[in-house]
Amino acid sequence: MQKSIYSFVWKFSRRQQLYVLFVTIISFPVLYGTLELPKIIINDAISPTTDDPDAFPITLLGLELGQIGFLLTLCGAFLALVMINGAFKYHINVYRGRLGERMLRRLRYDLYQRVLRFRLPRFKRMSQGEIIPMITAEVEPLGGFVGDAYALPAFQGGTLLTYLIFIFAQDPILGAAAISLYPIQAYIIPKLQRHVNQLGKQRVRTVRILSDRIGETVSGVREIHSHGTVNYHQADFTRLLGRIYDIRFEIYRRKFFIKFLNNFLNQLTPFFFYSIGGYLVIQGSLSFGALVAVLAAYKDLSGPWRELLNFYQRSEDARIKYQQVVEQFQPADLQPDDQFAHDARPIDPLPGELVFANVTYAEPDGGVVLETLNLTLPTTANTAVVDAGNGGAEVLLMLASRLLIASSGRLRLGEHELADLPEVSLGRAVSYADSQPYLFTDSLRANLIYGLRQRPVIQPAYDAEASAALEQHITEARAAANSDLDPGADWVDYDVAGAAGPDDLDDRLVEVLEAVELAGDVYRMGLNGTIDPVAEAGLADRLLAAREAVRAHLDEHPTDQALVELFAEDRYNTSASVAENLLNGTPVGDALQADRLAGNDYVLSVLDKTGLSERFVEIGADVAETMIDIFRDLPPTHEFFEQFSFIGAEDLPEFEPLVARLRKDGAAALKGEGRLRLMSLPFKLIVSRHRLDLIDEAMQQRLLEARRVFRRDLPADLAGAIEFFDAARYNAAASLQDNILFGKVRYGQAGSQERVQQLLGAVIDRLDLHRAIIGVGLAQPVGVAGSRLSGPQASKLGLARALLKRPGLLVLNEATARLDAATETRVATTLLAQMSGRGLIWRVQRPALAAAGFDEVLVLRDGRVAERGTWEELTLRKGGVLAGLVASAG
Amino acid sequence: MGIQDEVELLKRIPLFANLERSKLKLLAFTSERLTWPAGATLFRQNEMGDAAYILIDGEAEVLVEADGREIPVATLARNDVVGEIAIICDVPRTATVRARGELTTLKIAKDLFFRLIAEFPEMAVEIMRVLAQRLERTTKDATRAEARVRELEGQHGG
């Protein structure tokens, strides 16, 4: 990368800069004209009336003009010049702005690409908290600077020069006086500026540390809370903020001092004019008129001079920012960017051997991990790697998949040098997975097919508008040397996954999910997921058919009716809460969530209309009384509060006086906040679960009446806040499972949950919905960096992703370590069968896993191969390393 | 039948008889009331236990498995508690319990049971007393049985 911003600007925008310069120069005459014309208008068009009656008519371009005509013509010309001048300015500004943005875009892209080219060990020394602000905030001001880099100093410098020449032409001595202080300014100001620059550098570094700390706080938030170290972090953060404050304050002081000094020196020059010039006028060696002209010229001089000085400060700022960012992106060992060619040819067939020849790997700090390793690993057989202590097995695996580069020695894949292979080709042939794969904040499916996205595969059929937009996108991207691939194309390489196209990819996805035993989890996620019944009308209809099948089953098997209480318009559901019964639907958004109903004006009005308000207050008081009675003696932090109580521990004491007041004065007397608090309690009651006998048959009937009123009078602004239960319609707000069941599992029936699950499972199988539900599961988001998945689920997803590519060589680094031993063994057996005849290098965490049927076991110790052979050979070897490990593991 | 009735019922069970009303209410409120169809198995011998049951209505049979056959050893009725040993001592179930006719129970989950004991020492003491009484009775039974065995041996030997 270019060492300085000037060479960067010159190299990539030479022609554009010259163009800006050129346009600036040709705009000069116009600018001059807008200054000159008013003079002509006043002197020649307006003033002559009194002096010279013969001046008119004037002949202009063959036209004879009277004074008014001449005036209007000149004014018209003035207007035209003003507009042309404005147009020039507009054109230059837009052009410069675009140039700056393009250059900024190029710089950012270049930096990002360098991040992608960093070797892995670089990230041990450079955190994302440092990288992010560099590429985003720190380079931002450079864009504005680039447009001005050459044009501004040339323009202002030229103007300055013109004025100076004018002054010198009037009187050389005064000219000398005018510039007498420039050398001093030119000497002192950069000197002072240098201090400011140093401080600027410090500030940038400190802000990077700051953003690194914020990043650490977010990633380490669990540690912070579990160790109670909040105060330490706050103090540390304060220290950094203090440092930034001090630096900035110092910068302000120095900057304003420079300004002060500069202003002073500028004011000093007129002092010379008045004294020396005045002296000369009195002596008679200078005309008074010339002195006035020089003074006027000097006044004009200060404008460009200030601009130049400002520009100098800005350019210094830009120079440092650029330098400080770029030096972080110039490590010696960048991956060559020609390895990223998207159209690289696949390595087909994959050579049979991966050869390590005299391979040594040392950490950047010098620790040797692998020493002069000579090893041939077949890519047609399965090898288990066991690390018997400091063996460097992990490094061996990462070298084999080229995530790391050997310090010395060579790795060859058949006749190819591994180090020289294009990454796209290698990425298709080799998969690497460990137990903590990075998951992107996207759907399960996107994470699964992530490994198939090496290049755009299928160009979508764009309409004219879209293809014009794409054309534009690519042209702009090329102008800034960005990637010119279409991000909107289908990047999924179905062929790599062994699928003919998008339609049968799902079969392959299910296959790999089953291989890693994740299909069941995805199925459950699907059952708990939601769909958009408009976009997926076919599926919604099939789910409705399943709902019908459940109902039919219950009609035919009366004993199972005890398991489920179906939703019905005219029946109170004793397995659902009062809130659910009142709404008779699923809330969408926040407005009608169960815990906010008592605060909702419409709900309250419905209760008033149906005469239920007082009853709600009374029942609320009964609930409160019971809660106080039951939970009073428990310590406030007790988990029962969370699990069972209707009232949180901290609120419990506040309910006591409320209940007392109600008992004394009656429900009608209780008003305001306290009334609402009591009214909020009954909404949570579930008749068959809580068994408090507070919602009796009569009350249930009245609630049904309230349900009817609620629906009948629902105002338009709440219409979107609820999706009513309707036996004949798919409920978009409810999960798939709730849609199929269309009711509640009854409380109090032994084993009802399991039996309902069986019933649902049977219906789903019969209607062949299993695959569709997995599809819904695959569409579920995995959360930020996979946070919604459990550890084993994330591991399995990473493994499935590695498998989907059908790699010729699969490298697994303890990829199943987070699975329980039984699952791990089953998955290993499946993988070994699937990878039979292809290459599998698996570093196992438990040596016992190496017995799962590998062709060979490789044992590493102290950076060397300790032994190698089949499981049987090695475990029977007397005094063998593996035999020892197995024996000690029991 | 609601919590109030369950509290009345718990009051009649020796294990809980000495507990305050509010504690019994807590026990009832935090427990699950379950209905079992006739012949349903509450738990099986040798399984690990995760709950104790209080019979509210109906009867249950206690069966011990021996030589692949199930031998009924006792019948449980209303107010009986079953399954508490396995959760207190963390041992597998010593017998199978099955509903005879429709049965209603209160199911007290293991962690709930322990938390109650930890929270209310008087309950722990009560449990200890009941268990000690049972141990004493069992010891007596055993002694009597031993004496009977000797007597029988004496008869046969003599």
Side-chain angles (χ1 to χ4, degrees), chain A residues 630-638 640-641 649 652, chain B residues 26 116 119-120:
Chain A
I630 294 180
F631 293 104
R632 185 168 32 203
D633 293 342
L634 287 177
T637 52
H638 204 284
F640 277 8
F641 277 108
L652 205 56
Chain B
L26 175 64
L116 283 172
E119 221 55 64
F120 308 112

Side-chain angles (χ1 to χ4, degrees), chain A residues 625-627 629-631 633-635 638-640 643-646 689-693 747-751 755, chain B residues 1-6 20 22-23 25-26 28-37 106 112 115-116 119-120:
Chain A
E625 212 163 36
T626 309
M627 294 303 137
D629 189 19
I630 294 180
F631 293 104
D633 293 342
L634 287 177
H638 204 284
E639 53 206 292
F640 277 8
Q643 260 179 292
F644 297 106
S645 180
F646 280 42
R689 178 178 168 199
H690 295 116
R691 317 188 298 279
L692 292 174
D693 291 341
Y747 286 95
Q749 291 301 314
R755 283 165 63 197
Chain B
M1 193 163 107
I3 297 260
Q4 292 302 339
D5 310 285
E6 287 162 18
E20 275 176 54
S22 65
K23 306 287 179 296
K25 228 175 182 176
L26 175 64
F29 190 68
T30 50
S31 299
E32 206 180 339
R33 197 236 287 269
L34 286 179
T35 308
W36 307 77
L106 214 50
L112 179 73
R115 262 184 260 146
L116 283 172
E119 221 55 64
F120 308 112

